[in-house]
Amino acid sequence: MKQYFILLFLLVCSLVHAQETNRMHRIAKIKVDAKQLDVYKSLLKEQMNTAINVEPGVLSYTAVADKKDATSITIFEVYASVEAYQSHIQTPHFKKYKDAVKDMVLSLELIDTDVVCLAKKENF
């Protein structure tokens, strides 16, 4: 019986590890036209909230602005998989966002990353 619980524990741990390693973590660095910053942030918020609410593969977004330059926005994105990301960029709400902000975004750099370590509060 003890061996059964050990095997079950190892299986659960390997499934959690597999889920975590399959995830896609991306950083988007965006420079926004200062004259259109408020409109841009509104459109970004709408896109992010829609994606989180309707796409199971979109796991997390955190958008931050540089305190010294509010037009420099960095978004930390987490997707369940590369396939979830590929699906996301084909959605109507993402295409609507991209079309709406095309003249507001002065530059965009996308950086795919690997998680080195992760620490967070249990309820965070």
Side-chain angles (χ1 to χ4, degrees):
M1 188 64 140
K2 182 179 176 183
Q3 291 174 340
Y4 171 77
F5 286 116
I6 291 172
L7 276 172
L8 182 60
F9 175 77
L10 291 173
L11 177 63
V12 169
C13 287
S14 67
L15 287 173
V16 169
H17 178 71
Q19 282 181 330
E20 191 63 39
T21 57
N22 195 36
R23 289 186 177 162
M24 178 181 169
H25 296 80
R26 171 171 274 177
I27 297 170
K29 292 184 170 189
I30 303 167
K31 184 72 171 177
V32 179
D33 177 8
K35 296 174 191 162
Q36 302 182 73
L37 183 59
D38 289 337
V39 175
Y40 174 81
K41 290 193 301 188
S42 176
L43 292 165
L44 175 63
K45 183 177 181 178
E46 177 184 340
Q47 191 289 131
M48 288 171 57
N49 286 331
T50 301
I52 289 293
N53 288 325
V54 303
E55 293 182 70
V58 178
L59 303 180
S60 173
Y61 285 125
T62 302
V64 297
D66 186 325
K67 285 188 176 189
K68 295 178 184 175
D69 178 6
T71 66
S72 292
I73 295 178
T74 301
I75 305 170
F76 303 95
E77 308 173 7
V78 182
Y79 302 93
S81 63
V82 171
E83 295 79 14
Y85 170 75
Q86 293 297 329
S87 174
H88 165 68
I89 62 174
Q90 297 303 316
T91 61
H93 56 268
F94 182 76
K95 289 180 178 182
K96 175 185 168 188
Y97 159 79
K98 288 297 280 185
D99 186 55
V101 304
K102 69 180 178 232
D103 295 326
M104 300 176 193
V105 173
L106 303 177
S107 67
L108 169 64
E109 180 183 6
L110 300 175
I111 305 166
D112 290 325
T113 65
D114 288 323
V115 174
V116 174
C117 59
L118 177 64
K120 63 181 179 176
K121 298 280 187 190
E122 185 176 321
N123 295 326
F124 180 73

